Amino acid sequence: MATASFSLVHTKPGPFSAATLSWILFIVGIGLYLYSAEARHRANPDDRIMPTIAQMTRGMVDAALKPAEDDDAQVAENAPLWDRFRQSMLWKDTKATGLRFAYSMLLLIPAVLLGMHMGLFPVVGAFFLRFVLFFDKIVALSLLPILFIVFGIDELSKVMLIVIGVAPTIILDGYNLTRGVAPEQLVKAFTLGARDFDVAYLVVMKQILPRVLNSIRLNLKAVMLFLFAGEMIASTDGLAYRISLLRRHMAMDVIIPYVLWVALLLFLIDLGMRVMNRRLHPWFHEA
């Protein structure tokens, strides 16, 4: 028994086996969906809960090449493909959500810097730490009505919801990572003549940055969750707004492709951040 456990722990699949294993759950999930959809459509050809692949393909093509029904834009059928895509429902929703997402990610940069300063400078830590710890326990979605009252229902309230929901976690993560830097390295840097901000940005920041980027990467779904909450409640465009609107018509042939599109975008962003982290910090190895 012990020998079997030992062999399982130390058995590593080859490249082909690893690639095959990684696709098994996808194949099983797709197969179960196709089987269930076919069974439902045999029982009811007008079923809208589980659309077929052909129905979802048609729905996604229409979303990618035609404006939304509530959009005043008109595109000729013989217009170039790129022009049709730029006026399409999918592009406009993706662009609106993408801009809000980008603004929110940029506003998380001060959170990283604050966390590092809190961990490195005792006075800054004493001033901010208890407040951030308390603020981190507030459920961000409970602040949504307050944000709409204070900032209105425009873009700022949605961006602030994301920042309030995710920034405390990033601040505390940066603080803990900074506190984890070996004190001997700081003493060595001061011994070699470094000043306070030299130590902060040339010693500490370089060590915690790959781990902070990894933390932000792992919080991408939380960022999108808060963004979707804001768009579903008060918005006139965006991916979540469109999903909420289509839900009223039970348009699952477009809702499911939209959900998969969001997952694909987040996967690509996650992949891009992992590649960037690997290029900037080749010494860093973490899932």
Side-chain angles (χ1 to χ4, degrees):
M1 193 70 178
T3 304
S5 299
F6 179 85
S7 64
L8 286 174
V9 170
H10 291 82
T11 300
K12 294 183 179 180
F16 177 77
S17 299
T20 303
L21 289 171
S22 67
W23 285 103
I24 288 178
L25 291 178
F26 287 98
I27 295 172
V28 170
I30 294 172
L32 287 174
Y33 179 86
L34 292 177
Y35 175 80
S36 302
E38 183 181 358
R40 291 182 67 96
H41 279 268
R42 281 201 305 267
N44 178 17
D46 297 325
D47 182 82
R48 304 181 66 181
I49 303 299
M50 297 186 71
T52 62
I53 298 296
Q55 290 173 328
M56 288 191 289
T57 301
R58 286 196 299 269
M60 198 60 176
V61 169
D62 288 342
L65 296 179
K66 296 180 180 179
E69 294 181 358
D70 56 354
D71 195 342
D72 295 332
Q74 298 293 330
V75 183
E77 290 292 335
N78 58 351
L81 193 64
W82 174 245
D83 290 342
R84 294 174 64 186
F85 178 71
R86 287 179 57 193
Q87 297 295 325
S88 70
M89 177 176 74
L90 179 65
W91 170 252
K92 289 190 174 183
D93 291 335
T94 304
K95 181 180 177 181
T97 298
L99 286 175
R100 295 171 188 136
F101 182 88
Y103 295 150
S104 306
M105 295 297 287
L106 289 175
L107 289 176
L108 291 179
I109 295 176
V112 176
L113 298 178
L114 178 57
M116 183 195 69
H117 283 79
M118 286 169 54
L120 187 60
F121 300 104
V123 175
V124 180
F127 185 79
F128 282 105
L129 181 58
R130 183 165 296 178
F131 176 79
V132 175
L133 283 170
F134 173 79
F135 201 80
D136 185 54
K137 303 304 179 287
I138 298 177
V139 180
L141 291 178
S142 67
L143 298 176
L144 195 55
I146 300 175
L147 293 175
F148 284 150
I149 294 172
V150 174
F151 298 109
I153 60 174
D154 294 329
E155 304 302 310
L156 184 57
S157 59
K158 304 177 185 65
V159 173
M160 290 305 300
L161 176 65
I162 301 172
V163 174
I164 291 173
V166 180
T169 302
I170 303 300
I171 292 172
L172 293 175
D173 191 51
Y175 169 80
N176 290 325
L177 290 172
T178 301
R179 298 286 292 177
V181 175
E184 294 81 4
Q185 297 185 22
L186 308 183
V187 173
K188 185 67 173 180
F190 283 122
T191 303
L192 295 174
R195 299 180 179 179
D196 288 347
F197 285 99
D198 295 330
V199 172
Y201 290 96
L202 299 180
V203 177
V204 175
M205 178 58 79
K206 287 189 175 181
Q207 292 194 52
I208 72 169
L209 185 58
R211 292 178 173 83
V212 170
L213 287 176
N214 207 39
S215 177
I216 294 175
R217 181 177 69 82
L218 295 175
N219 277 281
L220 287 176
K221 191 166 70 171
V223 172
M224 191 59 76
L225 172 65
F226 292 121
L227 176 54
F228 268 37
E231 285 187 351
M232 284 186 172
I233 294 175
S235 187
T236 57
D237 54 13
L239 295 169
Y241 161 77
R242 191 65 57 189
I243 291 173
S244 178
L245 187 65
L246 293 171
R247 175 184 58 82
R248 305 171 191 173
H249 307 288
M250 294 183 63
M252 295 293 287
D253 58 329
V254 182
I255 292 176
I256 293 177
Y258 256 59
V259 172
L260 297 176
W261 175 245
V262 173
L264 175 63
L265 293 177
L266 282 180
F267 175 80
L268 293 176
I269 295 171
D270 178 272
L271 177 63
M273 293 186 69
R274 279 188 285 147
V275 172
M276 180 182 67
N277 216 357
R278 196 178 303 124
R279 296 284 178 85
L280 294 177
H281 313 100
W283 50 268
F284 178 71
H285 298 283
E286 188 172 335

